[in-house]
Amino acid sequence: MSLLVAVFFFILVTAVLGWLALAFWVETRWPRIICLMYHRLVTRAQHQTIIGPERLYALPSPEFERQVRWLKRAGYRFVGPAEVVRVVQGIRTPSGPEVLITFDDGCRSVWSLGMPILKRHGVPAVVFVTTDSTSTVFASGDSNQAKMTDEQLVSLSLMRIEIHSHTVTHRPLVTLPDDELEMELRQSQRVLEDTAGASVKYLSIPGNWFDERVQKMASLCGYEGVWCSNPGTVCGARDAYEIPRLNVDGDLTLRQFAWTISSTG
């Protein structure tokens, strides 16, 4: 029995090391697109008062600006969601390191704290918006983390900041029957198109709750790309309805941020 256990662990360790080696080879061989996932921006003073898991999703705005500056100095080209989709569809190949900045939920802090930074540095981004202002994702009690107003969404869309869907209510999509799932995708799409006056072709999955049924429904509803929270980067053709991202932890130092998005990280 001990020999069988030893053989099993040898096979397991070999498989894990092989997978890590393959992942490292892929990450270092070709230019990558890194899709960064942000949620809420806060002041430094506010961040010091936040405890628990929420610290993963709340980033001090000065740190966000430092990250943008670092990406520009490091030679990253900032792209929009359509350019990412063309790569995963095999239509385009990145000529160098590229980055897509995404914000989930659609909190007002993206407008009040994030927009000035993006505008100052001439950087594009995409905001995936949950359209129901009563969703629990906006229930922190902080007015700056409530849902953006229609006027704020319009002002973002007039810049290089695209508005796309994060569903209506932010509920786990895998738990919903087909009719409610379709409502979440179609209604959010329609509301945002009416508000921002631009086509809504991309979706971000709330809470990473998705499966093949959710992906198929997104396709039927006309979405051309779906971003999830699976960690990873885009090196070439892959499933356009399961595009990975890297969550930016609110506690990361700039050095940790740089390591996280590196090939080794």
Side-chain angles (χ1 to χ4, degrees), residues 100-157:
L100 170 69
I101 291 178
T102 75
F103 285 93
D104 278 5
D105 303 334
C107 296
R108 293 181 186 177
S109 61
V110 177
W111 178 83
S112 61
L113 298 174
M115 182 176 69
I117 295 171
L118 296 170
K119 184 176 182 179
R120 186 154 53 243
H121 295 280
V123 169
V126 56
V127 182
F128 293 109
V129 179
T130 297
T131 57
D132 184 355
S133 61
T134 66
S135 169
T136 56
V137 78
F138 301 122
S140 68
D142 181 353
S143 61
N144 208 30
Q145 306 306 342
K147 178 183 171 294
M148 273 188 277
T149 65
D150 289 352
E151 291 75 18
Q152 289 167 343
L153 288 173
V154 169
S155 68
L156 289 182
S157 68

Side-chain angles (χ1 to χ4, degrees), residues 70 254-265:
W70 185 91
L254 186 60
R255 178 175 293 182
Q256 290 169 332
F257 169 80
W259 182 84
T260 296
I261 69 172
S262 70
S263 299
T264 306

Side-chain angles (χ1 to χ4, degrees), residues 153-216:
L153 288 173
V154 169
S155 68
L156 289 182
S157 68
L158 293 176
M159 296 176 52
R160 297 173 65 193
I161 302 175
E162 296 187 32
I163 307 299
H164 294 285
S165 174
H166 199 42
T167 76
V168 176
T169 64
H170 205 277
R171 290 182 292 170
L173 297 179
V174 292
T175 67
L176 302 179
D178 287 351
D179 59 338
E180 292 188 42
L181 171 60
E182 183 174 7
M183 180 278 294
E184 288 279 346
L185 302 186
R186 290 195 186 278
Q187 183 175 318
S188 59
Q189 189 178 46
R190 183 175 64 253
V191 167
L192 292 171
E193 287 182 341
D194 290 344
T195 300
S199 178
V200 172
K201 299 185 291 185
Y202 308 117
L203 170 72
S204 167
I205 301 291
N208 215 33
W209 298 302
F210 75 101
D211 56 15
E212 187 176 350
R213 181 178 67 99
V214 172
Q215 293 170 303
K216 288 181 178 178

